[in-house]
């Protein structure tokens, strides 16, 4: 029997002004879902480097990391059996856009800048919404200190 282990992954909350870059997943199991750009950390890669790499791969954007927002467990279960099927330990970073035009790449089917007003009505995981709000506070504090 294969031992199941949590998978280390990153998410990047990238802001351009008030807007946040989000993607729609293009592959199963989360195909079509709105999400933060992100993915698995590669062996030997620092989490912060993975956050910037995944952002670039999935959106075409380059950003400056502001800091770590939180570490979140993404635990997903089977709809039929209730068994845990996937467990990601997500290191979510706040970032500020530096350059690039947002466009879908890698396993993202779609990428775009989402305004705060639109974000309110978007169907996203509540934990993602919480992370975006916390990242917005972190970025705001960083910009006030500059």
């Amino acid at each position: 029997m294969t031992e199941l282990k949590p998978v280390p992954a990153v998410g990047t909350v990238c802001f351009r002004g008030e807007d946040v870059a989000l993607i729609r997943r293009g592959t199963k199991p989360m195909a079509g879902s709105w999400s933060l750009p992100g993915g698995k950390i590669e062996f030997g890669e620092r989490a912060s480097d993975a956050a910037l790499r995944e952002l670039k791969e999935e959106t075409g954007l380059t950003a400056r990391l502001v800091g770590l927002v939180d570490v979140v467990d993404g635990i997903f279960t089977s709809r039929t059996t209730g068994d845990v099927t996937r467990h990601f330990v997500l290191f979510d970073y706040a970032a500020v856009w530096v350059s690039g035009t947002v466009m879908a790449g890698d396993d993202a089917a779609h990428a775009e800048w989402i305004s705060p007003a639109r974000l309110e009505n978007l169907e996203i995981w509540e934990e993602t919404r919480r992370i975006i709000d916390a990242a917005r506070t972190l970025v705001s504090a960083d910009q006030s200190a500059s």
Side-chain angles (χ1 to χ4, degrees):
M1 181 173 167
T2 304
E3 181 182 358
L4 299 177
K5 296 180 181 179
V7 176
V10 293
T12 306
V13 186
C14 182
F15 293 100
R16 184 183 70 183
E18 292 294 312
D19 297 346
V20 64
L22 293 181
I23 63 163
R24 287 187 88 125
R25 294 268 163 222
T27 57
K28 290 183 179 183
M30 304 294 288
S33 297
W34 285 101
S35 175
L36 296 173
K40 295 176 186 173
I41 300 170
E42 295 176 359
F43 185 77
E45 183 179 37
R46 295 181 187 278
S48 58
D49 293 339
L52 292 173
R53 176 185 52 78
E54 285 287 345
L55 177 68
K56 180 76 170 171
E57 288 176 1
E58 293 191 343
T59 67
L61 302 174
T62 301
R64 174 182 62 85
L65 289 184
V66 172
L68 180 67
V69 178
D70 203 351
V71 179
V72 175
D73 286 294
I75 300 173
F76 302 91
T77 57
S78 167
R79 290 182 185 160
T80 55
T81 67
D83 294 339
V84 174
T85 57
R86 293 176 320 278
H87 179 179
F88 295 97
V89 178
L90 303 163
F91 297 84
D92 289 317
Y93 287 88
V96 176
W97 172 83
V98 171
S99 66
T101 302
V102 70
M103 63 183 146
D106 198 25
D107 63 351
H110 180 76
E112 70 178 276
W113 292 109
I114 305 292
S115 70
R118 181 153 175 238
L119 184 61
E120 285 182 28
N121 300 313
L122 212 59
E123 287 188 34
I124 59 173
W125 185 30
E126 281 306 311
E127 192 65 358
T128 300
R129 192 176 305 281
R130 183 186 71 78
I131 291 296
I132 292 170
D133 289 343
R136 191 179 303 280
T137 300
L138 193 62
V139 166
S140 179
D142 178 73
Q143 291 174 341
S144 294
S146 298

